[in-house]
């Protein structure tokens, strides 16, 4: 059941996932719990995506109100500096592995309000973002596409071999960012 992924940049790079990786990734892909973090008008579209028309429950995605039970954070809407501290805190409370979708132009780059003194110029200044969903506000179909891209990313991960490296030293920049609440 091993898959070969090829990347064509002049040379062929192949990677194989083990059978255990594929079983674990299938289970993880089909049970994504997302954190509700709707900040502005994109939050309405986030609610619509969970409704009967777009219905992301068919992908196994379940909304959670607590970060400790969530795999995915969907940041939807204008992020102000006052809310940025809470966003970072919620991200740090999520268990590994964690993924982030930036939904809408306000969450991605500040959007219409980017010149305001209180608006953060993108959620990627605070936390690492995996998928950007463009639009103002993006349609539920666009968010569904973003969720499917997160599922593709989960399927490609090598879960079993990564767990064998636990406890080994990782290179870091030596900077520890702390959020004071």
């Amino acid at each position: 059941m091993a898959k070969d992924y090829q990347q064509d940049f002049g040379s062929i790079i192949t990677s194989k996932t083990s059978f255990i990786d594929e079983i674990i990734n299938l289970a993880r892909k089909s049970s994504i719990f997302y954190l509700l973090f709707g900040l502005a008008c994109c939050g309405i579209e986030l609610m619509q995506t969970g409704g009967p028309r777009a219905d992301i429950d068919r992908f196994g995605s379940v909304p959670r109100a607590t970060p400790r039970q969530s795999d995915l954070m969907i940041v939807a809407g204008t992020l102000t500096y006052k809310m940025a501290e809470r966003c970072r805190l919620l991200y740090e409370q999520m268990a590994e592995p964690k993924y982030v979708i930036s939904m809408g132009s306000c969450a991605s780059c500040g959007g219409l309000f980017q010149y305001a003194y209180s608006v953060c110029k993108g959620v990627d200044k605070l936390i690492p973002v995996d998928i950007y969903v463009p639009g103002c506000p993006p349609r539920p179909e666009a968010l569904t596409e973003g969720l499917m891209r997160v599922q593709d990313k989960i399927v490609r991960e090598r879960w079993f071999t990564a767990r064998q490296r636990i406890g080994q030293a990782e290179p870091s920049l030596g900077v520890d960012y702390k959020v004071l609440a």
Side-chain angles (χ1 to χ4, degrees):
M1 245 175 108
K3 294 181 183 175
D4 292 323
Y5 296 101
Q6 294 181 355
Q7 209 173 15
D8 191 13
F9 294 111
S11 64
I12 297 175
I13 300 171
T14 61
S15 66
K16 293 185 181 277
T17 57
S18 69
F19 181 71
I20 296 173
D21 283 335
E22 290 185 12
I23 297 297
I24 291 173
N25 289 340
L26 178 66
R28 288 179 51 229
K29 174 187 114 161
S30 301
S31 63
I32 296 177
F33 291 178
Y34 62 94
L35 179 65
L36 295 172
F37 200 66
L39 299 170
C41 50
C42 287
I44 306 296
E45 295 296 323
L46 176 61
M47 289 181 241
Q48 177 64 29
T49 307
R53 188 170 183 187
D55 192 26
I56 58 173
D57 290 343
R58 62 191 160 143
F59 296 109
S61 296
V62 179
R64 305 305 290 171
T66 176
R68 292 187 174 95
Q69 298 174 354
S70 301
D71 304 320
L72 171 67
M73 175 188 270
I74 302 174
V75 181
T78 309
L79 184 68
T80 61
Y81 287 116
K82 185 183 274 189
M83 199 63 184
E85 297 175 10
R86 281 112 182 133
C87 179
R88 177 76 179 179
L89 182 67
L90 288 173
Y91 178 77
E92 289 174 353
Q93 289 178 352
M94 289 172 64
E96 289 288 340
K98 48 191 167 187
Y99 308 96
V100 177
I101 291 179
S102 176
M103 180 180 174
S105 61
C106 290
S108 298
C109 65
L112 299 171
F113 311 105
Q114 64 184 344
Y115 297 117
Y117 69 94
S118 61
V119 174
C120 185
K121 308 304 184 260
V123 73
D124 56 351
K125 307 284 188 222
L126 300 169
I127 56 178
V129 176
D130 297 306
I131 305 294
Y132 293 93
V133 178
C136 183
R139 301 218 6 107
E141 293 83 10
L143 183 58
T144 304
E145 181 72 24
L147 179 68
M148 291 189 324
R149 296 294 73 85
V150 169
Q151 286 181 333
D152 291 343
K153 185 173 185 174
I154 289 172
V155 167
R156 289 192 310 265
E157 286 181 350
R158 302 180 88 187
W159 178 256
F160 187 68
T161 55
R163 294 287 112 191
Q164 293 174 351
R165 293 190 304 263
I166 290 179
Q168 295 178 357
E170 292 183 11
S172 65
L173 298 175
V175 180
D176 188 20
Y177 294 102
K178 293 186 179 177
V179 175
L180 302 173

